[in-house]
């Protein structure tokens, strides 16, 4: 039953079997790592948050409305375990949704990950978190909006119901609300059955100032052989004439009371993306190597260690999580950590 | 038992029947609506929060101290379901109180709604929330302080005990703490017995800069005929020579698995209120029409739809909730929404 | 079982006796006081928060990992009960930690009180809170960093295990993370057995700008005679040539359904500490007298009253909690409050 460790019985309803489906759950993760990071010649030792999973606290629940219909809500807030800070702009910035689901699928309203982001996480063995996150080398190419590979406000999303023989899918739109840059939409379709998982996503977000859209197209495939789960992912980010192509090959290997993970990513920028323009800081090619081992003390608690490095080329200034800012393009950024993750 | 859906048993006390009265409750509402709003010619589609009830999360509890004495606390935080934001100034801005109650009544300390605001909500069928909120056309008349019809910091409040044959009442004062504008007091008395409810409130808040007080006087009456509950409310806001008079007639009609609500409000400003002065943007007359239907999927979950419009006159720039800013006085502001509310 | 009033059973584990040790607890304190404070001739009446204990809300938990090993987490956020505000910089600023404990002791990562601060609280009968807090006259002597007697980010701490015949101890370090002022370390050793409690602590925090460290050395002793618990504490704060010596004598006396507390503190500044320098506002000698009575309505709820006054000398501008700012050095600051504290 995953992270739903605290299922509080819901009182005050009229009783009966259906009521047993209703619950409210307080959940969270506290994850802290001791970290050594380096960019070029600048080194730093630090205690950081969210080395394996993002530290968070949340409350979520579902209510069985009968006839297969369910209502649900989800509030989730990031915790910066090193300083005790929360997201000061959007306290519930990880998720704030209300939803209705049934035979027709699920409709959700609120702030949430786009379905495009959900696709990307499935094919990054570091799930866009910590030193190994492939998110470190994703660029919005000067569009000013990375919701295509992140989260969006004002989201209305629809997901297909289960029971489609492994096929699944979802679509979402976020209202622009008069400011062009908030407007976006994304769509995802996939197939997950037994050991095989394939999925594709497309997302676009408006940029009124430049009268163009940031577009992300991505496909991924993974196969679980039992002794290892290799995975391949390809993404293309476009904005105006700029383009970034990101190819990730990774493998997850069960090892002892845990798992070993390795991922290699090759990101290429086209000439337009490498060229400075008004309001645009150029990027460049980059390669990301990430190795990690997770040792599970229990289902809820794990020790882990990670090593990662980004080889930047040209103007590229990509950084592993928590690394010092790059003083110039083309510098190597690397990190090593040891941490503990506890979920509740 | 209303919203107290999760009553956690309190452990660690010495046991016995009295202890069974003690509880801590995690509660909340997530409410989001898809909205079409218009002010003058400017139109906007958006996903918004709090169309029917204000989205929130809170923790509250009571402890039975024996002999009829109870201690209690209440923390409540607004949730902006569209962006995941919380109130960045006062996280627990909806309420943060500790209280003692017994045969003598109840004393509360902390931030809270004034008793004057509580009176006003009782006679607005939209309870000061969403597109239909009568709060949209309340003006503080340049006093810079709307706590008389809102919430106040540093509040000490006293409520009469129950069991007074339907009579109830309360009074509160908020300390100025050296800044004149925070200082306020309000008083309310009412009678609610069977189908009849009548109530009156008076509140004043200091404004040191102008050496005068903002004063709100309000009376309301409602009668529940079963097939319909008509309600009448009259408020007078005053500051210096400025005056605003607000008359609301409304009706709530049970309809199918829900209820239909209609409210019409006529707000009049006197000549002083319509006249610009240093630091004061003049208002004008306005009429608010609001229609809503709530369809209950369960006690906790509802679908709803609302239509409202404000007809501004002269310099008036009142807006329905979430509407674009008025570019001039006298423009019509209107909105239509469809939303879902889920409480826990 | 102290404040762990709500222990939620943890579901989803494999059952058994060990599991019974795992729990997640929602806890808090709401404490508000009506206060009269005065500095020099400036008087103020106010409603304030945290007169006896700091108002807070938190979630904490432990998981039994078997073999004596436990994982734990702790999130704690201050609540300003007078305004409903939370800490806007660090929402979980009181504590955000993840920990592992066992026969070896306990290792904690995150934001927390330093062990030095924990020592100081043990010998201040007002535990650094409210009108009587001895913290009011602690100075960082211009070092810009009071974590030695407060809390620190990026903390890695280790505590000795129990079962050492009353001896206990701990050490912590906080990473500088490239900014010298965050770097610190502290150590504490103590002995608590039967009525006797003695403890000592040393802490230092870096200040890169002045190329020196702020250093705090403190010792304390208390003996519980049953009818009274007298306590003595001595602290020395040093930074560059500046020094502040703080001697506190206090007594806690059980009285009726509560306890009476009196504390007298004499703080002396040396000549360097009394001399203005670039970026340094000089302090001076000060004496703090604090008297308090707590009346327990239950284990969770108390009424209390406090009187305190600080006699500032020379340039000293120390203030009792919530008092108006001093317009000059050497003014007396005093306060009186009556409040209610409720914990859950």
């Amino acid at each position: 039953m995953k992270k739903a460790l605290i299922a509080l019985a819901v009182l005050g309803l009229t009783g009966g079997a259906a009521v047993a489906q209703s619950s409210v759950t307080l959940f969270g993760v506290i994850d802290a790592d001791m970290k050594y990071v380096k960019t070029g010649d600048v080194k730093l030792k630090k205690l950081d948050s969210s080395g394996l999973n993002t530290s968070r606290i949340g409350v979520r629940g579902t209510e069985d409305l009968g006839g297969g219909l369910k209502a649900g809500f989800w509030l989730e807030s990031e915790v910066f375990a090193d300083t005790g800070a929360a997201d000061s702009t959007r306290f519930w910035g990880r998720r704030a949704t209300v939803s209705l689901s049934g035979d027709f699928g699920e409709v959700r309203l609120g702030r949430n990950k786009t379905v495009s982001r959900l696709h990307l996480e499935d094919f990054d063995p570091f799930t866009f978190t910590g030193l190994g996150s492939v998110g470190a080398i994703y660029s919005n190419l000067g569009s000013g909006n990375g919701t295509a590979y992140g989260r969006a406000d004002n989201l209305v999303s629809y997901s297909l119901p289960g029971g489609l023989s492994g096929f699944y899918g979802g679509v979402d739109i976020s209202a622009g609300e008069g400011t062009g840059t908030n407007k976006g939409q994304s769509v995802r379709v996939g197939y997950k059955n037994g050991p095989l998982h394939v999925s594709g996503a497309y997302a676009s977000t408006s940029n009124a100032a430049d009268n163009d859209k940031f577009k992300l197209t991505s496909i991924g495939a993974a196969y679980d052989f039992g002794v290892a789960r290799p995975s391949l992912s390809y993404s293309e980010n476009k904005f105006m004439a700029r383009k970034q192509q990101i190819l990730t090959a990774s493998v997850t290997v069960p090892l002892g009371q845990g798992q070993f993970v390795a991922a290699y990513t090759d990101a290429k920028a086209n000439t337009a993306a490498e060229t400075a323009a008004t309001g645009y800081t150029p990027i460049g090619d980059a390669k990301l190597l990430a190795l990690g081992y997770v040792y599970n003390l229990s289902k809820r608690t794990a020790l882990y260690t990670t090593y990662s490095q980004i080889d930047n080329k040209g103007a590229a200034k990509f950084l592993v999580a928590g690394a010092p800012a790059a003083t110039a393009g083309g510098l190597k950024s690397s990190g090593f950590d040891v941490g503990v993750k506890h979920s509740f």
Side-chain angles (χ1 to χ4, degrees), chain A:
Chain A
M1 52 173 284
K2 304 185 71 181
K3 292 173 193 164
L5 292 163
I6 311 151
L8 310 177
V10 173
L11 310 178
L13 296 177
T14 46
V19 174
Q21 306 295 330
S22 300
S23 69
V24 174
T25 302
L26 177 70
F27 67 95
V29 173
I30 308 297
D31 178 332
D33 56 343
M34 289 172 288
K35 197 180 246 185
Y36 177 82
V37 280
K38 193 176 164 185
T39 302
D41 291 330
V42 187
K43 303 162 191 179
L44 217 53
K45 277 176 289 186
K46 60 200 302 189
L47 184 81
D48 218 339
S49 182
S50 311
L52 181 63
N53 294 161
T54 303
S55 298
R56 75 195 73 168
I57 186 166
V59 180
R60 63 173 183 244
T62 56
E63 182 197 12
D64 193 324
L65 297 167
L69 196 64
K70 284 188 183 189
F73 75 97
W74 192 300
L75 293 174
E76 190 176 314
S77 171
E78 182 162 358
V79 172
F80 296 87
D82 51 342
T83 63
D87 183 332
S88 58
T89 308
R90 294 175 180 89
F91 186 81
W92 303 104
R94 288 183 57 82
R95 186 162 163 188
T97 57
V98 58
S99 60
L100 286 175
S101 61
D103 295 341
F104 59 88
E106 180 170 359
V107 174
R108 277 186 205 156
L109 308 179
R111 178 173 172 83
N112 203 356
K113 289 176 183 170
T114 58
V115 294
S116 171
R117 161 70 178 235
L118 292 172
H119 159 84
L120 292 170
E121 285 186 6
D122 277 352
F123 301 94
D124 177 10
F126 294 92
T127 56
F128 268 61
T129 305
L131 285 176
S133 170
V134 73
I137 55 174
Y138 270 70
S139 169
N140 66 27
L141 299 170
S143 67
N145 192 333
T147 58
Y149 51 91
R151 290 171 171 84
D153 290 345
N154 311 313
L155 210 61
V156 179
S157 70
Y158 166 74
S159 307
L160 288 173
L164 300 178
S165 311
F167 287 98
Y168 65 87
V171 57
D172 57 45
I173 57 168
S174 51
E177 305 199 344
T179 63
T181 40
N182 287 332
K183 201 171 178 177
Q185 45 272 315
S186 70
V187 60
R188 177 195 189 181
V189 289
Y191 176 78
K192 191 174 184 179
N193 210 342
L196 179 65
H197 190 185
V198 291
S199 167
Y202 173 79
S204 68
T205 51
S206 296
N207 178 305
D210 291 298
N211 197 25
D212 197 10
K213 289 182 176 183
F214 174 79
K215 291 166 196 161
L216 180 154
T217 316
S218 184
I219 51 169
Y223 194 92
D224 194 342
F225 291 97
V227 294
R229 180 185 179 271
S231 166
L232 265 179
S233 170
Y234 174 75
S235 295
E236 214 172 77
N237 296 336
K238 281 188 187 171
F239 181 61
M240 300 171 71
R242 298 167 202 145
K243 185 158 80 174
Q244 188 191 27
Q245 292 168 296
I246 302 166
L247 181 67
T248 298
S250 68
V251 65
T252 304
V253 180
L255 195 66
Q257 200 171 326
Q259 56 184 9
F260 171 79
V261 169
Y264 183 77
T265 301
D266 190 354
K268 291 201 185 305
N270 73 352
T271 308
E274 292 176 331
T275 308
T278 309
Y280 175 66
T281 307
I283 62 165
D285 292 352
K287 295 182 201 308
L288 164 65
L289 172 69
L291 306 171
Y293 182 67
V294 179
Y295 179 83
N296 296 305
L297 293 169
S298 75
K299 280 188 182 178
R300 294 169 53 193
T301 305
L303 303 175
Y304 62 87
T305 183
T306 323
Y307 173 78
S308 71
Q309 67 171 62
I310 295 175
D311 288 308
N312 288 301
K313 304 292 173 194
K317 290 183 174 184
F318 298 113
L319 304 173
V320 300
T327 52
L331 297 176
K332 183 186 281 192
S333 177
S334 64
F336 171 74
D337 72 350
V338 175
V340 55
K341 179 223 74 165
H342 176 67
S343 61
F344 57 97

